[in-house]
Amino acid sequence: LPGGLSEKEREYIVLHEQTHIRRRDYIVKFAAYFIICLHWFNPLAWVAFILMGVDMEMSCDERVLREMSGDTKKDYSLSLLSLATERRFVSGSPLAFGEGGVKERIKRVLNFKKPSRVIIIAAIALAMVLIAGFAVNRISGDNPSYSEIAELINATQEEVYQKLGNPQETLNGTDIFIINGKTILMTYDENLRVNQINYNGESVVNTPGSDDYVVWSQLSVDDVRALAEKGEALQASDLPNLRPSLLSSTMGGYNPTLYGVEGGYRLLVNFNNTTNPESGIRSIQLESIWQNGGSGIDIRYNDVDEFIRMNPSHPADTVPSTTFQPRKWIDRENNEFSLTTTYDLMLDEFPGVIFSYTPERLIATNDNGEKELFGGTDGFIFGGYIDSVFLADLNGDGKPEFCSYTNWGSGFGDLRVIVYDYQNDNRFVLSDRGTYDYFLQMELGRLEIVQTSPMQMNDTLGIGRLAIIDGELVVFGIDRTQPITDPQPEIPPTYVSSWRPLDVLPTDFSMEQALEMGNIVVIGYDGTYNQHLIDGFYRYVASGAAAFMRVVQQTIEGDVIITDFQYDGDVFIVTHDSTRDRFSAIEDRRITTLTFKYLVPFNRPQSDSTPSTASDAPAVFYLSNEENIYTTNPDGRMMLIEDLWWIPPPSDSYVTE
């Protein structure tokens, strides 16, 4: 120490230097000096070295001030000033009390305040939170392993987000994560804890009663074929790597065994006794992971290859890749949807363009004027509304196409998909009139096309993807082969004439008599009988063959009303007998014959005046002499035209006897 120091100054200096010694700063600085020799060319290394020295000195200053009385700040600052070495260069020499940065150190000393107990506690708590956060290992972004993913079983949704980050999409309570091309699906229970995981097409579960996590046993398609060949003789002992219970909860009262199957499928096995697989197999379902549970087949009784053909694996490598996330723009099933509202949309991909939707048409407006993408004025849509509208990039150019579907009514309507590529001004139509119907849906963050039987939206035949390749609309995953069927026989003229004419039926003809005859459609208060006759009528009409059915109904008072529906291959002939309606006007009790040209499905609108959704309401069909059965009233509201005749609708799926 230099001479001439006061007792207080000696105390300050010694305490300051003792702090350096206790913290081993002389070793740290020597190591830093060695590093700077190796990285002499790196300016960031020099900056770090200088700032480290400044922080080191200021930290020791604060230690002295905390241990001395509160009135030492002035004396300590004067000591720093008097002993300042005023160095302006980096040195590896031993520490000196007045070494460099004196001005900043004096300011810091004069502004120093001992931290309060509250601040100290808060700082410690914050540090503990940060330590806990950094201690949580995030899933490897490059290649998350099965074990890393499996550890998330029973984790909270918040814990999943900490591990995986935010999901790319959330659909029906399932979070969808895409990490380096791998798709991870997380499903939660009512407490928002993970109860199901799908890792890139394979399912991951934990084994009850064990600390280990396992992937569902994996099977090849050939394995499934081999099991299917056993038919009803299939036993639990035939199942490879059998685990009687791989789920922590039961499904429908049964504890299932699950297998992953290559190509994006799963095999779900239920036993007659949940605790004893040897009790026999109750069901063994092959399902696609891209469809809802219960949508598969029991391999003991159905063709595995046919199911795979109709439900191909995810064609991600075939459909053009894109960064545009598909989404639904117009949702006709939304309770807030209104038929009288015009919905506008602007997209960043098409600056300066306003897209406008009404149930009748979709148009685009820019500085050059208005352009109709699809609608009724060009004869593109007859007898129906434009349904929900989806935005999806089908050709991989990063710009969305407008995709929808509509009932096209002309005699016998069909449900068809319409696509408009605004960027390239191309319109596409997907229709297999009279053979298949098509509609669109969003599932797992992607746009899917659904193939059904004609006019039977619940009778799903296949689910696939759409793409535009080389200027053509292409469908993946759906078999559009026209089925080979026996020609529908023409109804001989004697068939209709063999029915007793309405004017010779007994006046006391009753609903009970109609039921006993078995060949008449009876619609009573408690439902419809002989629905298969209605389905047969529609099938004949769809094929262009002649058809006939007799329908018996009753009024509120219980009086019988009889209607004959006949199709001759060209027009519909309706003969209506209301002579037994005792409560109608005398002049209305008569037999009436009318002729109609078109059979048109009614797209039940959803608006303020019709709050029920189309999906909740039964199908409705009308006979009409106009292709378009809709008009507007003076207030601009949509309504049906006059002179329509209601005809019983087909069932959810055709029944053949």
Side-chain angles (χ1 to χ4, degrees), residues 596-646:
F596 300 94
K597 189 175 181 180
Y598 302 111
L599 173 60
V600 184
F602 168 50
N603 289 333
R604 184 180 296 273
Q606 182 179 342
S607 64
D608 298 338
S609 60
T610 56
S612 63
T613 64
S615 60
D616 293 335
V620 178
F621 289 79
Y622 287 108
L623 296 175
S624 171
N625 285 311
E626 300 291 337
E627 292 175 324
N628 188 350
I629 63 174
Y630 307 98
T631 185
T632 55
N633 63 15
D635 296 331
R637 296 182 64 85
M638 194 66 60
M639 58 184 297
L640 292 172
I641 63 174
E642 297 180 354
D643 300 326
L644 299 177
W645 195 277
W646 177 84

Side-chain angles (χ1 to χ4, degrees), residues 153-208:
I153 283 288
N154 205 39
T156 65
Q157 190 175 52
E158 182 179 355
E159 290 170 340
V160 171
Y161 290 175
Q162 290 175 350
K163 289 279 188 178
L164 300 180
N166 292 326
Q168 274 70 26
E169 186 79 13
T170 299
L171 293 172
N172 299 325
T174 297
D175 284 335
I176 304 172
F177 302 87
I178 300 176
I179 302 177
N180 246 30
K182 289 181 169 57
T183 301
I184 301 169
L185 311 181
M186 293 282 178
T187 304
Y188 306 91
D189 60 18
E190 64 275 8
N191 298 317
L192 290 181
R193 287 188 173 274
V194 177
N195 60 5
Q196 293 185 36
I197 301 178
N198 187 283
Y199 175 87
N200 213 39
E202 298 176 352
S203 300
V204 183
V205 298
N206 66 319
T207 305

